[in-house]
Amino acid sequence: MNCIDPGVATPEDLLAYADGDAPPTIVEHVRACPACAAVAAGYAAAQRHLRRRLYRFDCPSPQELGDYELGLLPPAERTRVAAHVVACPHCADELRTLRDFLAGEPAALTRPTGPLRRLVATLLEPAPGAAYAGLRGADDATAQTYQAGGVTIALDTQFDRRRGRGALTGLLWQEDPAAADLAGAAATLLAPDGATRTTALDDVGNFAFDDLAPGRYQVEVTLGDQLVTIPELRIGR
């Protein structure tokens, strides 16, 4: 894929878009240009990857905190996580947020009460030579772009064979400038064992899942009365 209007958006502009700091002209361009949107998604994925590598590297993963709260960890692991949470304000905040979530599902992740119109996304040809392929520290990294109706979703998957765990980052945008905003939009990841994880999209359409076991997953994005489905996404080999 090539940019629909070369020269309009510089790499710095796309990086600002990934950070949510781009001016309106760049936001409009990226939402209309699949090539630039895919690159912006790659930048966002790279930033998340670096944060995971360099920031709070010794903190328990969200999955571990969830298992801790649900009483699923072995005794030794539970003691370790408990000792960490006492000394780490970041993890203590996350644990409080998790407890609030379990006490009552946030409205942001509540699906519409009416029937959803299911759309199955189609895989597009990847942009050749994408700058974000093969992120440093990941043994296996791929980027793919899907379309369904007026919705485009760029996905970046990473898998660290040494750890045996993967991650997924995504960016959704709508071709219609008059389309509804992303308030209430949510992404759901269905694991091979039937487990599900759901997260809200941010105001520019980013979402992410980490600490994933290898296997074939399904991605569903709830957007208004639409349910956009990517039926098969492989994490790892």
Side-chain angles (χ1 to χ4, degrees):
M1 291 185 293
N2 296 317
C3 178
I4 61 174
D5 194 358
V8 170
T10 66
E12 291 77 14
D13 291 330
L14 298 180
L15 185 59
Y17 180 89
D19 288 335
D21 297 327
T25 54
I26 297 300
V27 173
E28 291 178 6
H29 173 78
V30 173
R31 288 178 176 174
C33 178
C36 289
V39 174
Y43 287 156
Q47 289 175 325
R48 293 190 188 99
H49 177 73
L50 289 175
R51 290 190 192 104
R52 287 195 299 269
R53 302 284 289 188
L54 301 177
Y55 175 64
R56 296 179 60 191
F57 65 93
D58 61 342
C59 289
S61 69
Q63 183 69 40
E64 286 180 297
L65 286 176
D67 289 347
Y68 169 81
E69 177 62 20
L70 296 173
L72 301 178
L73 292 179
E77 288 296 299
R78 182 171 178 80
T79 300
R80 178 184 64 82
V81 172
H84 178 90
V85 170
V86 169
C88 178
H90 302 292
C91 287
D93 286 342
E94 287 188 8
L95 195 57
R96 280 192 291 270
T97 300
L98 175 62
R99 286 168 177 165
D100 290 342
F101 175 86
L102 294 175
E105 187 179 17
L109 300 184
T110 302
R111 292 191 172 186
T113 56
L116 293 176
R117 182 164 59 96
R118 181 180 292 272
L119 301 175
V120 178
T122 301
L123 176 64
L124 303 180
E125 288 296 325
Y132 50 89
L135 295 173
R136 184 169 52 190
D139 297 316
D140 186 1
T142 60
Q144 297 174 319
T145 302
Y146 296 83
Q147 280 188 340
V151 176
T152 302
I153 302 174
L155 297 178
D156 182 84
T157 61
Q158 303 169 34
F159 189 74
D160 188 332
R161 291 193 293 272
R162 290 165 293 183
R163 295 179 56 244
R165 311 300 289 180
L168 166 67
T169 57
L171 173 64
L172 176 147
W173 69 98
Q174 303 174 84
E175 296 176 5
D176 183 1
D181 61 30
L182 297 176
T188 298
L189 187 67
L190 287 75
D193 62 1
T196 63
R197 292 168 60 181
T198 300
T199 186
L201 276 64
D202 66 17
D203 55 1
V204 295
N206 289 295
F207 60 91
F209 298 96
D210 60 7
D211 195 34
L212 303 177
R216 298 181 185 275
Y217 289 77
Q218 178 171 311
V219 179
E220 294 183 345
V221 178
T222 306
L223 185 63
D225 63 351
Q226 298 182 119
L227 182 64
V228 181
T229 302
I230 298 171
E232 184 171 307
L233 182 73
R234 186 167 185 83
I235 303 294
R237 295 185 182 279

